[in-house]
Amino acid sequence: MQRSRLKNISRLIFIFFLSFSSDRVALAQANYSVLITEILADPTPSHGLPEKEYLELFNNSTKPINLNSYKLYYNTSEVSFPSVNVEPGAYLIVCRENNVSFLESYGEIVGLSKFSLLNGGTKLRLEDPAGQLVHEVVYSDDWYALGRDQGYSLEMIDLSSPCRDGENWTSSAAEQGGTPGMTNASSQNLADLDGPTFLAYNNIGDRTYEFVFSEKLSLSQETLDVDSPELEIQEVSFSSVTNSALNIKFKNPLPESGLFDITFNTIADCSGNLSAPVVVSIGNIPSPVVGDLLLSEILFNPKSGGDDFVEVYNNSERSINLKGIGLMRGDEEIVVLSTSNLILEAKSFICFTKDKQTLIQFYPKGVENNILEVNKLPSYNNDEGLVVLVSADGLELDIFEYNEDMHHPSLDDVDGVSLERKSFESSFKDWESVSSSENYASPGYKSLDVSENGFFEIIVLTPVFSPNNDGIEDEAQFNFKIHATGNLDAHIYDINGKYITALSQGQYVTNSLEMTWDGYSTSNEPMPVGYYIVYAELRTATRIYQEKHKVVLGLR
């Protein structure tokens, strides 16, 4: 009964807030009537266009719009538009007034008294005469396609999703470097079917908490439904700082201890996609003390095109707040990993990297929800170095001195191979290379089985297989159950002991893995029906384990 009453109160409060926040309602209505659809910030060298900076605007409404007294904010400057009409569905080129003659042959154009763009990126904000936001783009040089930056414009890909950021922009596909005054060469439909996901929350004072989401939110979503079964919500508002956040003000301060659920029953992104109900637990979560937070895995020598990562583990029995924690290399400056509340549950992992997408591509077993992309990490040397984990107040939580000689001696190439802590109860020096079965790294989870009892077993998952491409047991599947670090050789022989093919040769492993045989020999010849033997040797530092098992190749 209490939950229902509080939910109704929250809804009434939010409707009241919408009714009396006329600026916000008007802002939602003004949004996206005129769009910034193309940006040429770095026109040199030319690929055919004049070497002059420009913007392209598009009338996204159903009525003619006169831009008189509209304002463009760029870098740290602002400039007002003169009287110029833009028809519905029409484009307008915007440049500095002394460059109009160079660009006027490409379409309708207006010159501004001042205008300058930064090559590396800046915020562009268009406001109507009442000061209401019409469209805002914070572009970056990261938005360019590889090799298409200098002399190429940035184009909005899908004009029906103007609120989306970098994923909806790319370098122009036009040979001349851009498409001023016409449909973008990179235009295509980008389906956006996913609602916003929750990222973090911050206490911003006066009993108010900011809840940050993964994308821009709909400012006119009247069905926004927020409630809390234990905390009385006084006010819900959109953040005035970022359009991807909501602010919730509570009637009373949060209790000193405990977690309290806030439920976002419905919340929409700027494209109108509703999220599934999101439950966020907030509270006065303690910061880690010595022994709570440990370094658990380090990749200091990444593959070409990849980045380092550092993984930490909550070794305590309670949730801890990682806000303000940092990494450093020796006595160098601390790199703060999170400036907002970041809650890590007990016995959980979180991995920090500068490039989450590439990390997942290289290590597809990585637990994506446990990987956090950060702007900066200390620059760790490939051969040796020091990783120091510190708390928000500079307290040293953990330290790890690594070198590449700590990798398993059987590894000829250690690029892209991480070192992982074997146990959270043993010395911090007890580290080991991650197994090939995990693609040599395990970001966001623990790959090692620390019950090193020397046990080694082959389990045949398909005792009888028939490689006839019917989609049913076309391959023999084997599970090599391993609880020791070593090198694995696995081969297939026929019933008479004749060598057929190899499954593994000297593969470095630390835990169980699966392999398959397609029924062909090493010379790619199909083998006849009959009995076959999989024979394997696991060589550890102390002994050699040998196992074999029979498998039947049935009708082809």
Side-chain angles (χ1 to χ4, degrees):
M1 183 59 116
Q2 181 188 21
R3 178 181 177 89
S4 176
R5 181 178 64 84
L6 290 174
K7 182 173 181 179
N8 290 332
I9 290 173
S10 298
R11 288 174 174 171
L12 288 172
I13 289 171
F14 185 63
I15 292 171
F16 177 88
F17 177 76
L18 281 179
S19 300
F20 287 88
S21 297
S22 58
D23 287 347
R24 275 294 180 186
V25 175
L27 173 62
Q29 293 170 349
N31 251 353
Y32 313 127
S33 58
V34 179
L35 304 180
I36 301 169
T37 54
E38 189 170 350
I39 305 165
L40 183 61
D42 189 2
T44 305
S46 170
H47 301 283
L49 292 174
E51 292 187 352
K52 304 298 178 183
E53 297 175 350
Y54 69 80
L55 293 180
E56 178 188 80
L57 302 183
F58 175 75
N59 184 343
N60 194 42
S61 75
T62 58
K63 299 179 180 180
I65 294 178
N66 191 300
L67 297 182
N68 186 37
S69 297
Y70 275 63
K71 283 187 178 180
L72 175 68
Y73 294 83
Y74 63 95
N75 310 337
T76 57
S77 302
E78 64 179 82
V79 62
S80 294
F81 279 78
S83 178
V84 57
N85 283 311
V86 188
E87 295 298 318
Y91 293 93
L92 179 70
I93 303 167
V94 181
C95 66
R96 195 179 180 97
E97 58 187 4
N98 58 353
N99 290 330
V100 167
S101 61
F102 296 95
L103 291 162
E104 61 185 353
S105 63
Y106 293 94
E108 295 296 319
I109 191 166
V110 63
L112 304 181
S113 59
K114 55 181 181 177
F115 177 75
S116 180
L117 299 174
L118 297 179
N119 294 351
T122 189
K123 178 190 287 187
L124 303 174
R125 182 181 176 91
L126 184 66
E127 292 185 358
D128 69 10
Q132 298 164 355
L133 174 64
V134 178
H135 192 204
E136 182 177 275
V137 177
V138 185
Y139 71 92
S140 164
D141 55 9
D142 293 335
W143 291 8
Y144 290 100
L146 184 64
R148 297 181 70 87
D149 47 4
Q150 295 179 328
Y152 290 93
S153 71
L154 286 170
E155 295 183 340
M156 184 186 291
I157 300 171
D158 187 352
L159 271 60
S160 67
S161 300
C163 59
R164 299 170 71 180
D165 291 317
E167 72 272 16
N168 195 27
W169 288 79
T170 190
S171 301
S172 175
E175 290 186 9
Q176 64 179 0
T179 54
M182 64 184 71
T183 302
N184 290 342
S186 304
S187 176
Q188 60 176 297
N189 181 37
L190 295 180
D192 179 14
L193 303 177
D194 298 323
T197 57
F198 172 75
L199 294 181
Y201 76 88
N202 298 296
N203 183 349
I204 59 177
D206 191 26
R207 309 187 311 279
T208 303
Y209 286 74
E210 177 189 61
F211 296 82
V212 182
F213 291 83
S214 59
E215 52 185 324
K216 295 179 181 178
L217 302 177
S218 169
L219 299 181
S220 60
Q221 179 57 38
E222 296 181 2
T223 57
L224 176 63
D225 182 2
V226 185
D227 70 67
S228 173
E230 300 163 291
L231 302 173
E232 188 170 349
I233 296 174
Q234 179 175 323
E235 182 178 271
V236 181
S237 63
F238 292 102
S239 170
S240 61
V241 178
T242 171
N243 49 15
S244 60
L246 281 173
N247 293 341
I248 297 180
K249 185 173 184 178
F250 298 99
K251 184 175 181 179
N252 301 303
L254 263 64
E256 288 299 321
S257 62
L259 289 173
F260 307 93
D261 289 345
I262 309 298
T263 303
F264 298 86
N265 294 297
T266 56
I267 187 169
D269 65 16
C270 56
S271 298
N273 297 305
L274 290 173
S275 69
V278 177
V279 179
V280 179
S281 297
I282 69 172
N284 295 305
I285 309 300
S287 300
V289 298
V290 175
D292 283 350
L293 195 64
L294 301 176
L295 295 164
S296 56
E297 187 173 349
I298 314 292
L299 178 65
F300 52 87
N301 188 3
K303 298 178 182 179
S304 177
D307 276 297
D308 296 351
F309 74 74
V310 176
E311 181 192 80
V312 299
Y313 175 70
N314 181 357
N315 195 43
S316 74
E317 300 295 334
R318 57 193 172 92
S319 296
I320 53 178
N321 191 344
L322 304 190
K323 181 178 181 179
I325 70 158
L327 291 168
M328 57 188 300
R329 190 179 69 169
D331 296 327
E332 296 183 1
E333 180 183 359
I334 296 173
V335 175
V336 177
L337 299 174
S338 178
T339 57
S340 60
N341 288 293
L342 181 62
I343 310 305
L344 185 62
E345 295 180 0
K347 308 302 179 184
S348 297
F349 296 88
I350 188 166
C351 173
F352 300 95
T353 184
K354 293 190 297 182
D355 190 345
K356 178 176 178 176
Q357 182 178 1
T358 300
L359 187 65
I360 292 295
Q361 289 175 352
F362 284 152
Y363 308 104
K365 290 186 178 182
V367 179
E368 192 167 352
N369 289 339
N370 294 345
I371 300 173
L372 182 66
E373 186 169 288
V374 294
N375 293 327
K376 185 178 180 182
L377 282 179
S379 180
Y380 293 114
N381 295 331
N382 290 347
D383 53 353
E384 60 182 11
L386 192 67
V387 183
V388 184
L389 180 65
V390 295
S391 66
D393 55 4
L395 179 68
E396 184 179 293
L397 298 174
D398 201 5
I399 183 171
F400 175 45
E401 186 173 4
Y402 69 85
N403 65 73
E404 63 180 5
D405 293 336
M406 298 174 69
H407 282 296
H408 196 274
S410 69
L411 296 173
D412 296 326
D413 182 5
V414 295
D415 289 2
V417 183
S418 68
L419 288 173
E420 185 177 43
R421 193 174 195 143
K422 293 174 65 176
S423 170
F424 297 107
E425 298 177 356
S426 61
S427 164
F428 63 81
K429 294 182 180 179
D430 193 13
W431 292 66
E432 188 168 52
S433 305
V434 174
S435 169
S436 60
S437 64
E438 309 302 311
N439 299 306
Y440 297 107
S442 56
Y445 69 103
K446 184 172 179 58
S447 71
L448 297 177
D449 188 333
V450 297
S451 61
E452 295 183 26
N453 56 12
F455 181 73
F456 176 46
E457 180 184 4
I458 301 174
I459 299 174
V460 179
L461 302 177
T462 51
V464 179
F465 74 109
S466 54
N468 54 8
N469 294 320
D470 64 353
I472 302 174
E473 297 182 341
D474 287 326
E475 294 180 321
Q477 294 182 315
F478 309 102
N479 185 347
F480 295 88
K481 196 169 183 180
I482 298 166
H483 292 286
T485 299
N487 297 94
L488 178 67
D489 287 329
H491 301 276
I492 302 292
Y493 296 87
D494 68 14
I495 196 67
N496 298 314
K498 180 182 178 182
Y499 175 79
I500 303 300
T501 191
L503 301 179
S504 171
Q505 292 181 301
Q507 184 174 357
Y508 169 70
V509 293
T510 61
N511 59 347
S512 301
L513 74 163
E514 291 187 0
M515 293 184 181
T516 60
W517 178 45
D518 60 5
Y520 285 75
S521 71
T522 190
S523 58
N524 204 31
E525 295 179 0
M527 301 310 298
V529 298
Y531 290 99
Y532 292 86
I533 304 296
V534 55
Y535 173 80
E537 288 186 351
L538 177 67
R539 299 187 301 276
T540 71
T542 57
R543 59 174 292 186
I544 297 176
Y545 299 92
Q546 298 174 332
E547 288 290 330
K548 61 182 179 180
H549 211 293
K550 184 170 61 176
V551 64
V552 177
L553 193 161
L555 293 175
R556 284 188 175 275

